[in-house]
Amino acid sequence: MANDTTRLLGLDGLAVVGVADDTDGPVVHLVTADERARHCPDCGTRARRSKGRRVTRPRDLSVGGRRPRLVWAKRRWRCDELACRRRSFTESVPPVPPRKRLTTRLRAAAGAAVADQGRTVVQAARDYALSWPVVAAAFTSHARAVLPAQPEPVQVLGIDEIRRGRPRWIPDEATGIWQTAVDRWHVGFVDLSGKQGLLGQVEGRTAQAVIAWLADRDQAWRDAVQYVAIDMCTVFKSAIRRVLPQATLVVDHFHLVQLANQPLTEVRRRVTVTHRGRRGR
């Protein structure tokens, strides 16, 4: 089954048995070509009895500017191993994992578009005809694969809150009180002295959230922090004093200038009202 069309498609374990033209793009009919797909995923026993065929339509990358519609007719097998708890299973191959409607390369391309090509999640979802949550999950998987488990030590650490969106609440079944399920505020940690950029982001604008993220770093990493730049927030200040007592707290320039402009604006408005009898423009 290793024909030229199968090689052009490039999905290991799948063979092309026919291609038909359609108004929305080519329709590619596939069958399973990997013998390992007949082995039970739990016990590894090779199945001998089939329970029929099942047609699935996984989505894949565009080819030649057109998005092919894959039609995969795969078999459902019976597991004859008495000790195995799985009675039946459906064929699967690595490019199309079980219970997945997307090929692995389509999911990887969507995640790489956000991580390496500077696209937003919404733009990547539009380009690959996917939903926002699917692209966001693909980006998360891509980031986990390429990012180190722990960031490198930093000398100047920046901490600031980021508004994520609308909050969500769920009722507590025991007390009946509504509790926050998704906080609208996140806290971001940034490397201000190096080139690592964003080091991490946690949900919630509380001292415990900041302390928990810093506590996940080892003692050598925490000792290397010499300065911490924050806004004038007592929550961040108390967290830094507890976890990074050796670090010097620095207020960032934006909030210093903002604080200095507030009394200047108040004086200007008061003088304008006093001398002109009206509010200034």
Side-chain angles (χ1 to χ4, degrees):
M1 293 184 180
N3 51 51
D4 294 338
T5 309
T6 300
R7 296 187 182 96
L8 182 62
L9 184 64
L11 291 176
D12 295 336
L14 296 178
V16 178
V17 295
V19 180
D21 289 330
D22 192 72
T23 56
D24 298 332
V27 180
V28 183
H29 296 272
L30 306 172
V31 294
T32 307
D34 192 350
E35 184 66 21
R36 294 172 295 180
R38 293 185 58 175
H39 294 257
C40 177
D42 287 355
C43 64
T45 303
R46 184 178 184 276
R48 296 178 176 85
R49 295 187 299 164
S50 174
K51 294 183 64 177
R53 290 185 179 272
R54 181 180 180 184
V55 178
T56 59
R57 294 172 174 81
R59 302 174 64 183
D60 194 22
L61 292 170
S62 299
V63 178
R66 298 191 301 173
R67 187 177 302 276
R69 295 166 53 193
L70 305 183
V71 180
W72 180 15
K74 53 184 178 180
R75 289 185 178 274
R76 187 172 179 84
W77 298 95
R78 297 180 183 271
C79 182
D80 296 329
E81 182 63 34
L82 299 179
C84 182
R85 299 178 59 183
R86 184 186 291 268
R87 297 291 87 192
S88 62
F89 63 93
T90 307
E91 293 176 337
S92 64
V93 292
V96 187
R99 298 182 178 88
K100 297 297 183 181
R101 298 182 179 180
L102 306 178
T103 61
T104 54
R105 63 186 182 185
L106 174 58
R107 191 180 298 270
V114 179
D116 303 330
Q117 301 177 14
R119 304 187 201 178
T120 62
V121 175
V122 175
Q123 182 181 359
R126 186 186 306 113
D127 295 341
Y128 290 97
L130 301 174
S131 63
W132 190 97
V134 170
V135 178
F139 167 68
T140 302
S141 301
H142 180 88
R144 288 176 179 174
V146 299
L147 291 178
Q150 294 290 342
E152 298 180 1
V154 299
Q155 295 182 354
V156 183
L157 178 65
I159 303 178
D160 199 2
E161 71 271 10
I162 303 171
R163 183 162 182 172
R164 175 184 177 273
R166 296 182 179 180
R168 297 180 182 179
W169 294 274
I170 56 174
D172 190 351
E173 297 180 357
T175 62
I177 301 176
W178 287 82
Q179 297 181 350
T180 303
V182 177
D183 200 309
R184 66 175 179 174
W185 292 101
H186 282 199
V187 176
F189 303 86
V190 184
D191 180 11
L192 298 180
S193 58
K195 299 181 180 181
Q196 299 185 76
L198 181 64
L199 303 176
Q201 185 171 317
V202 295
E203 183 179 353
R205 187 175 53 173
T206 62
Q208 188 59 37
V210 177
I211 292 174
W213 189 88
L214 293 173
D216 290 339
R217 318 280 84 79
D218 54 25
Q219 188 62 41
W221 193 96
R222 296 196 297 266
D223 293 340
V225 180
Q226 300 179 7
Y227 301 93
V228 179
I230 63 174
D231 56 10
M232 291 169 289
C233 178
T234 57
V235 172
F236 298 156
K237 179 181 177 181
S238 61
I240 296 303
R241 289 307 184 197
R242 291 178 56 182
V243 185
L244 304 176
Q246 82 286 350
T248 302
L249 282 174
V250 180
V251 179
D252 60 82
H253 294 170
F254 170 80
H255 289 89
L256 284 177
V257 175
Q258 184 185 44
L259 181 63
N261 284 334
Q262 286 179 357
L264 180 62
T265 302
E266 293 176 0
V267 172
R268 179 184 60 81
R269 290 176 178 175
R270 186 173 66 249
V271 172
T272 301
V273 172
T274 302
H275 287 270
R276 298 186 179 182
R278 59 178 176 82
R279 296 173 58 186
R281 296 181 181 178

